[in-house]
Amino acid sequence: MSSGPTQHPWVHLSSGDLTADINPLGAQLSSLRDRAARDLLWDGDPAVWAGRAPLLFPIVGVLAGGSYRLGSKTYHLSRHGFARDKLFSIEKTTASTAIFRLSADEASFQVYPFRFELDVHFELTGPTLSVTTWVRNKGDEDMPASCGYHPAFRWPLPFGQQRSSHFLEFETDEPAPIRRIDSAGLLTPERQPTPIAHRRLALTDALFQEDVVIFDQIKSRSVLYGGKDGPRIQVSFPDAPFLGVWTKPGAQFICIEPWHGVTDSAGFSGDFKDKAGVFVVAAGEAFSTKMAITLTER
């Protein structure tokens, strides 16, 4: 293990092609480097944005009014839920794999009244880092939840290309309109024309003046990120129904975010089980989702 800039030792993984460090606080991927030790992941500069690759659970985005309703009871949760701020236990490590776990406790019951178990499995194989998350229901009633990934990659990547040459290339055509959020972080009712042309999304600061770009009718199962030449990063999300792309204008990172869930629509007041993107895990069952990050030669 190597030490990160917190009191919690980071877990170090290596495959030869890549190295990764995971902070047990939030089970957050905190560094990802190629074989030349070049940083592919944002460094979490708190003056800009302290995140690196936070795990989103049990909600994605913002709740209308900061709260959600379950039957006759109301609970409060902040943006993206609480998992990213919790210390996970380290269940298993090898040279190239690690499993982290977060379990329900008295504090979580106050804001999310379910007996959950959240496992995150990291595995390095050659040029690929795979991350698989299991949401387990250890209780005796149906458990609604959302979860999502939020990795922030260097923009520009450290391969000598100009920041302005970077783009996302989608696996397939994406003609569907996109969603945007308002100043409170809630989905606006209107849709906007897709900024993707010929499967490519040109990355510009102007694109993010209205914050995150949300694809809620995504068909692609992967995107390729990089500059005009040189190595690129493929982010695969075989099962995510939503994809967010976000940065702060002018910042040196771009977030590519596969989600099972999405921020509330403005004015939403329904039951949590009816919230967009929420899945329900039956008692004793588990839900899993996966993301893979691969460094490609081109």
Side-chain angles (χ1 to χ4, degrees), residues 209-221:
Q209 292 294 338
E210 297 178 62
D211 210 285
V212 64
V213 178
I214 298 173
F215 300 93
D216 66 345
Q217 300 176 54
I218 187 81
K219 295 190 297 182
S220 296
R221 297 293 86 198

Side-chain angles (χ1 to χ4, degrees), residues 135-139 143 280-287:
V135 180
R136 293 192 177 90
N137 182 354
K138 309 293 282 189
M143 183 178 78
V280 176
V281 186
E285 298 297 321
F287 173 92

Side-chain angles (χ1 to χ4, degrees), residues 141-164:
E141 60 181 338
D142 284 353
M143 183 178 78
S146 283
C147 65
Y149 298 111
H150 200 310
F153 300 100
R154 298 274 177 162
W155 180 22
L157 286 170
F159 304 123
Q161 298 295 300
Q162 293 293 317
R163 185 171 179 270
S164 59

Side-chain angles (χ1 to χ4, degrees), residues 37 42 90 104 125 134 145 156 179 213 220 223 237 246 252 268 280 296:
W42 167 243
I90 302 170
T125 307
W134 286 273
R179 302 298 297 272
V213 178
S220 296
V223 297
F237 38 95
W246 173 75
Q252 302 292 298
F268 178 75
V280 176
T296 70

